């Protein structure tokens, strides 16, 4: 098998026709030896049925049915681990990522100069709240993770077998694929593209899901949150050292006044530092717990190969 294309889908019945048609056309331009691996992430609409219909006319379409909705990072992982291609591409299924750009990525990989090609958005920022949230996440993630070039990239990418095997060695439960893709190293190149709006239907990433994904990404790639606690704690110590000396002097010199404001302030200050600490510790402990449970990332109900 030359090429695999992995696409996760969750309730996308409206756009499957166009998705299949455009993806097949794009891959046919490269080779006839390909597979498109759709991962049905527990859809409740006609997604699965439509996929199976298309599969009956185009046998290079494969459909992996997960037992329920596991989220799109897990769905990607499921698809990637079953992909047989020598080169494997991954993209969202709402046609925000244009499959027409895959041949270009493939060309770069085949030249032998690269192992991984990712797609980098060139869109100007538009200030809808959704995009603002994404922007905020991408900026802070790039800063905090120490990974390079995470600014305008997502899942849309293609890699060779060597890089994919590396990526699949990561068994962590809380995962952010674009972060891992960057983390593995190898020789990475990129193409520039204009990310379209979703073709039809609504975003399947609710605000809460997106927030969860962002914090997973940040906590699993950065030690900054716990560092901030330490810095805050140290600042507290310094402040109270100075305040302590002042109190002593005041006591000795005899001008100590009974001040409730300073007492109150220190209670607030200490209290909030401690609560923040606890919160951040909690985030880490929660993630340690998740990792230790070693639950499977996804369960396959059926693989229509
Ligand atoms: N998706 C999925 N499982 C989910 C949520 C989303 O497989 O729980 C798929 C979805 O069908 C789409 C891709 O992941 O193909 C990206 O989702 P979406 O476009 O809703 O995210 P956004 O682009 O809004 O961040
Ligand atoms: Mg989308």
């Amino acid at each position: 098998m030359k090429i695999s294309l992995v696409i996760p889908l969750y309730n996308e019945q409206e756009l499957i026709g166009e998705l299949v048609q455009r993806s097949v056309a794009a891959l046919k331009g490269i080779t006839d030896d390909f597979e498109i691996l759709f991962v049905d992430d527990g859809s409740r609409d006609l997604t699965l049925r439509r996929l199976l219909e298309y599969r009956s006319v185009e046998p290079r379409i494969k459909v992996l049915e997960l037992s329920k909705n596991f989220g799109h990072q897990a769905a990607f992982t499921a698809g990637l681990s079953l992909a047989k291609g020598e080169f494997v591409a991954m993209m969202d299924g709402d046609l925000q990522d244009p499959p027409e750009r895959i041949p270009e990525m493939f060309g770069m990989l085949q030249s032998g100069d690269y192992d991984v090609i990712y797609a980098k958005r060139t869109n100007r920022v538009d200030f809808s709240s959704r995009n603002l949230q994404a922007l905020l996440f991408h900026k802070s993630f790039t800063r905090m993770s120490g990974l390079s070039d995470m600014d305008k990239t997502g899942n849309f990418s293609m890699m060779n077998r060597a890089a994919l095997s590396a990526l699949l060695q990561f068994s962590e439960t809380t995962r952010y694929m674009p972060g891992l893709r960057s983390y593995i190293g190898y020789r990475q190149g990129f193409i520039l593209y204009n990310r379209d709006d979703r073709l039809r239907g609504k975003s399947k990433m609710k605000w809460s899901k997106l927030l969860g994904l962002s914090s997973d990404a940040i906590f699993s790639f950065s030690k900054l949150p716990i560092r901030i606690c330490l810095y805050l704690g140290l600042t507290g110590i310094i402040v109270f050292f100075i305040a302590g000396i002042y109190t002593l002097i005041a006591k000795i010199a005899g001008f100590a006044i009974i001040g409730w404001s300073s007492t109150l302030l220190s209670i607030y200050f200490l209290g909030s530092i401690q609560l923040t600490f606890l919160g951040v510790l909690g985030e880490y402990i929660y993630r340690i717990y998740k990792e230790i449970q070693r639950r499977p990332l996804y369960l396959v109900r059926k693989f229509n190969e």
Side-chain angles (χ1 to χ4, degrees), residues 12 92-97 130 195-198 202-205:
E12 305 281 12
D92 282 356
D94 56 358
L95 289 170
Q96 284 193 278
D97 304 331
R130 184 70 209 305
R195 189 165 161 93
D196 303 321
D197 283 333
R198 154 182 279 279
K202 279 212 275 298
S203 171
K204 304 301 178 302
M205 298 295 281

Side-chain angles (χ1 to χ4, degrees), residues 7-12 39 41 69-73 75-76 91-94 96 130 155 195 198 202-205 209-210:
I7 306 177
L9 291 173
Y10 178 52
N11 298 343
E12 305 281 12
V39 184
D41 189 14
N69 179 247
F70 283 95
H72 97 308
Q73 299 295 306
F76 266 129
M91 70 174 203
D92 282 356
D94 56 358
Q96 284 193 278
R130 184 70 209 305
N155 295 301
R195 189 165 161 93
R198 154 182 279 279
K202 279 212 275 298
S203 171
K204 304 301 178 302
M205 298 295 281
K209 254 189 187 175
L210 213 62

Side-chain angles (χ1 to χ4, degrees), residues 174 212 215-217 219-220 282-292:
T174 15
S215 45
D216 279 353
F219 278 98
S220 57
E283 289 291 322
Y284 282 98
I285 291 175
Y286 166 72
R287 282 175 177 76
I288 294 171
Y289 179 56
K290 291 284 267 194
E291 295 299 335
I292 284 181

